[in-house]
Amino acid sequence: MAGRKRTAHLWRLSLTITVFVMLAFGSFWLVEVVNHHGQQMQADSHRDEPDYIIHNFSMVRLSKTGRPSYIVSGDKLTHHPADDSADIDKPIVRGLEGDTPPMHIHAERAHADQNNSRIKLMDNVHVEREGSATAQPLQLKTQALTVFPDDETMETDLPVVLTVGGSVASGVGMKANNTTRQIHMGGRGQLDLPPRAAAKPAAPPH
């Protein structure tokens, strides 16, 4: 009888120890999970923060042939490591390559992504292209413009006002190619042509 009581006592003691061991391991596992989750959240929060900021910057992007293609400059560049993108204050984009006159693009702010091959300019976007022997001077104004510098193309879905020489066109949406000099206006665009110069009267016969 005493042997049975001793066996039952040992069994209950073993069960109690097992329960405490399981609770201890469970608590340790829970602490590890919480710590790992906290570290992951902290790492994610740091990834959303910029890793560097450059004031009064200027960077040159090279073409596939190794020649300077365009310059992007601005008052401030804020780089985001999470998606390798950058926010730019007072951006200026200037083309350097090609036989056509270069484009100069100004805006209040911009967002560059896709390895700087796509630049979204916003607020008071102003585009200028100088005239040449084969091309008239060009100006474009809009509130948002997406530029693809590698392809020398740009587009917008917002209203635009385009001035080419003495002609003014307005519309909603636009796609332009600086290499081919083709511009497609969207919506019901309107083109205002300057008045033709009055023909000079023929000189009276002598």
Side-chain angles (χ1 to χ4, degrees), residues 24-205:
F25 275 109
S27 300
F28 176 77
W29 174 82
L30 182 60
V31 170
E32 286 296 312
V33 170
V34 171
N35 288 338
H36 178 73
H37 183 65
Q39 292 173 0
Q40 187 65 38
M41 289 182 62
Q42 187 176 9
D44 292 341
S45 64
H46 285 312
R47 281 183 59 84
D48 293 336
E49 297 178 358
D51 55 350
Y52 62 83
I53 297 175
I54 305 175
H55 294 273
N56 300 319
F57 77 96
S58 179
M59 61 183 180
V60 179
R61 183 176 176 87
L62 302 180
S63 66
K64 296 179 180 179
T65 60
R67 297 176 56 187
S69 178
Y70 62 88
I71 296 175
V72 178
S73 59
D75 287 358
K76 185 175 74 171
L77 182 145
T78 304
H79 182 260
H80 303 281
D83 56 0
D84 194 26
S85 65
D87 291 319
I88 304 171
D89 294 345
K90 301 291 185 180
I92 300 175
V93 181
R94 181 163 62 94
L96 298 174
E97 193 178 37
D99 298 329
T100 59
M103 286 277 192
H104 299 263
I105 308 176
H106 305 254
E108 297 296 324
R109 56 193 181 94
H111 182 79
D113 59 2
Q114 297 185 358
N115 194 26
N116 294 324
S117 63
R118 181 176 68 181
I119 304 175
K120 299 178 180 179
L121 298 113
M122 294 157 281
D123 300 335
N124 299 324
V125 183
H126 188 196
V127 181
E128 291 182 324
R129 187 185 69 191
E130 299 175 358
S132 68
T134 58
Q136 293 182 316
L138 176 149
Q139 290 189 9
L140 183 145
K141 295 181 180 180
T142 185
Q143 289 301 311
L145 185 69
T146 301
V147 179
F148 301 91
D150 292 341
D151 301 327
E152 291 196 56
T153 60
M154 54 187 179
E155 61 184 33
T156 181
D157 295 329
L158 298 184
V160 297
V161 176
L162 174 66
T163 303
V164 181
S167 303
V168 180
S170 60
V172 179
M174 181 217 63
K175 291 185 178 181
N177 188 313
N178 189 45
T179 303
T180 63
R181 303 181 190 177
Q182 293 179 334
I183 300 175
H184 298 278
M185 303 284 289
R188 297 182 177 180
Q190 176 180 328
L191 176 63
D192 297 327
L193 298 175
R196 293 183 179 180
K200 293 183 179 180

